[in-house]
Amino acid sequence: MKCGIKNRSLLAGIIILSFLTFIALFAAWLAPHDPEAINLDLRLTPPNSEYPFGTDHLGRCVLSRVLFASRISLMIGISVVTLSLFAGIVIGTTAGYIGGLADEVLMRFVDGVLAFPSMFLALAIVGLFGGGLANMVLALVLIEWTGYARVVRASVLTVKSREFVTAAKGFGGSDLYVIVRHVLPHASSPLLVMGTLGMGYVILASAGLSFLGFGVQTLPEWGSMLNEGRYFFSTAPYLMIFPGISIMLTVLGFNFLGDGLRDLFDPKSKQKKDSL
């Protein structure tokens, strides 16, 4: 706790993301109106006491939609990072631990995926399979797992030749036991930092895909709200301002948390940053 108090980035990230998580969990109780209720008589109503964020072109409460959209964004971020971590750990561990031809083939495949610009590859995938939540998650996983695979492989290559790993093998430990008990724990810190920072990127990327019409369209989502609000920006700028602020604060919170965790696990990086 003492370290967390001194680490301002970590503390700021925890505060912002705790607030976001609270909103996502209790959106149904916090929202003043049904986010899908249409009332054309109230379309494009400016912010007021009943509708603090105003209403959109269909008369729906913008505040309620922003609150419910936090659920979608967090679900997308958690799903993509979890699946990417799993794929990266499996492929990176296989490449680093087995080595040889397996390492060469798998890492050349990783390099091939990394050769494509990530957003263009995601757009190609959702364009091929169609939009929607599931296809967007799949597209983001297919461009995100490579970074985790490279980090895991590097950690495995560093650890697998150490004395305690050799001793564990000498005592009859299976490869699976050695990997899970002795090898992967040494990759947990960088993966935690990378996953936290990756959450912010995934949420931003998902909002971008939805803004372009390839992501979530049938549920309240910040990117799709930006897309709908752009047609009324000159007359009702709040339609884009509030979802945009929500995206900014969420990404900022994950970046703060990731920087704080990096400083916590690697004090040398904090010393280098402070000296600049």
Side-chain angles (χ1 to χ4, degrees):
M1 179 63 69
K2 186 176 180 180
C3 182
I5 293 175
K6 290 183 178 180
N7 193 326
R8 295 180 180 178
S9 295
L10 181 63
L11 184 60
I14 291 174
I15 292 174
I16 294 174
L17 295 179
S18 297
F19 178 70
L20 175 66
T21 303
F22 175 81
I23 288 175
L25 291 175
F26 298 100
W29 290 273
L30 296 173
H33 301 278
D34 182 351
E36 296 297 331
I38 297 175
N39 188 343
L40 295 179
D41 293 333
L42 297 174
R43 64 188 304 270
L44 300 179
T45 300
N48 54 57
S49 58
E50 185 178 358
Y51 297 94
F53 287 5
T55 62
D56 64 7
H57 62 294
L58 296 177
R60 298 173 296 188
C61 177
V62 175
L63 173 59
S64 300
R65 293 179 64 78
V66 167
L67 294 177
F68 273 87
S70 63
R71 291 180 169 182
I72 302 297
S73 295
L74 281 180
M75 183 181 69
I76 292 172
I78 293 172
S79 300
V80 171
V81 170
T82 300
L83 294 173
S84 300
L85 270 172
F86 178 77
I89 288 173
V90 171
I91 294 176
T93 302
T94 302
Y97 194 81
I98 296 177
L101 181 61
D103 182 26
E104 189 68 22
V105 172
L106 289 174
M107 296 316 296
R108 295 298 73 77
F109 175 67
V110 170
D111 292 339
V113 175
L114 288 172
F116 293 93
S118 57
M119 282 304 295
F120 285 112
L121 183 59
L123 285 171
I125 294 171
V126 294
L128 179 64
F129 295 103
L133 179 60
N135 288 338
M136 183 173 66
V137 169
L138 173 64
L140 292 174
V141 169
L142 291 177
I143 66 174
E144 279 290 296
W145 68 270
T146 52
Y148 301 106
R150 291 172 71 92
V151 170
V152 172
R153 174 183 176 271
S155 298
V156 170
L157 289 174
T158 302
V159 175
K160 72 175 185 178
S161 59
R162 291 186 178 178
E163 292 80 1
F164 60 87
V165 175
T166 304
K169 291 180 181 178
F171 282 109
S174 64
D175 288 338
L176 181 61
Y177 171 81
V178 172
I179 290 172
V180 174
R181 181 67 178 83
H182 297 286
V183 176
L184 287 182
H186 287 77
S188 59
S189 296
L191 284 177
L192 181 59
V193 174
M194 191 174 181
T196 304
L197 293 171
M199 283 278 287
Y201 171 78
V202 167
I203 290 174
L204 187 62
S206 65
L209 290 174
S210 295
F211 178 78
L212 294 173
F214 292 102
V216 180
Q217 300 298 323
T218 58
L219 297 172
E221 200 274 338
W222 291 329
S224 61
M225 292 177 69
L226 289 173
N227 183 33
E228 294 171 352
R230 65 191 175 94
Y231 298 104
F232 309 96
F233 184 72
S234 60
T235 57
Y238 55 87
L239 293 179
M240 297 189 71
I241 291 174
F242 293 118
I245 291 176
S246 301
I247 296 172
M248 181 195 72
L249 288 177
T250 303
V251 175
L252 191 65
F254 280 112
N255 287 343
F256 277 149
L257 184 61
D259 286 341
L261 290 174
R262 181 177 56 196
D263 295 340
L264 185 64
F265 293 132
D266 185 11
K268 293 181 180 180
S269 67
K270 185 176 186 304
Q271 294 174 0
K272 291 180 180 178
K273 186 167 62 176
D274 293 340
S275 64
L276 293 178

